[in-house]
Amino acid sequence: MRPQVPMGAFHALGYVCAMGVAEGLREAGVGFAGIGWPQDVVDTRTFRQIATLRMHAGYDKGMFGTCTVVAGQQIGLLRDRADDELAAAIEAGVQARVTSWEQAIAAGGGVAGPLAPVLSEYFDLVPLLGHPAQAVYPNGNVMAEGTFAGVDIWGRATIVTAGGQEVEFSPEQAGVRPA
């Protein structure tokens, strides 16, 4: 895909694509599809992974991005749907969401940050928000434990500990899992 957005906005493309995958699956009748921060697709009932996105951005006569959707732990939940049906729903969802985001950025909606135009909708798709969670380093050690409190306009997550401390981190620093 080649959304016509400033280079700095490409940072949000994975988040936007995750929204599109979840929305595409919901459109195909998978009502329990949600987002596991930052760009996994999860079962909203159990927080378990259905799929993950692998993003790649580059430059070839302009910026481009690719999004590959990879099956996760709970893919069996989707087996009652044909693979081509799921692929078409996911592709349509991603195209629609990226086009909508691109238009919002072009209209000035991304001045505050690349996720600003879609952040409230992103929140609605993240079932773990407001629940007990852990921020976990890539090596598996726990960085913080508390309530998953939010995501900012740059995609950083916040955990509020029992003592009230707000711990903010990027996806490169840590992941989020249910506590």
Side-chain angles (χ1 to χ4, degrees):
M1 60 198 100
R2 293 182 180 273
Q4 299 303 302
V5 298
M7 187 181 293
F10 262 78
H11 169 76
L13 189 57
Y15 297 86
V16 174
C17 287
M19 293 174 70
V21 172
E23 291 166 343
L25 288 172
R26 285 181 176 197
E27 190 67 30
V30 184
F32 53 82
I35 297 173
W37 179 86
Q39 53 197 36
D40 285 334
V41 178
V42 298
D43 182 329
T44 59
R45 305 163 300 184
T46 63
F47 310 121
R48 295 181 77 187
Q49 185 188 63
I50 297 171
T52 192
L53 279 65
R54 293 191 181 145
M55 299 299 301
H56 174 75
Y59 187 89
D60 182 14
K61 298 178 186 165
M63 290 293 297
F64 71 91
T66 62
C67 172
T68 304
V69 181
V70 180
Q73 302 160 346
Q74 297 294 296
I75 194 65
L77 295 172
L78 307 181
R79 282 293 158 227
D80 61 341
R81 290 162 178 84
D83 289 346
D84 58 341
E85 174 193 351
L86 287 173
I90 288 168
E91 184 176 349
V94 169
Q95 286 179 347
R97 179 47 76 176
V98 170
T99 298
S100 172
W101 170 71
E102 175 185 22
Q103 292 169 348
I105 294 287
V111 172
L115 275 179
V118 296
L119 193 57
S120 66
E121 294 167 286
Y122 184 87
F123 283 167
D124 293 342
L125 289 168
V126 180
L128 192 54
L129 278 168
H131 293 276
Q134 294 177 328
V136 183
Y137 289 113
N139 68 4
N141 292 334
V142 175
M143 170 196 282
E145 188 167 345
T147 301
F148 187 12
V151 178
D152 71 13
I153 56 176
W154 295 99
R156 294 177 299 238
T158 302
I159 298 273
V160 177
T161 67
Q165 178 187 12
E166 292 185 9
V167 180
E168 186 177 88
F169 49 94
S170 70
E172 296 81 17
Q173 292 174 297
V176 175
R177 68 181 181 204

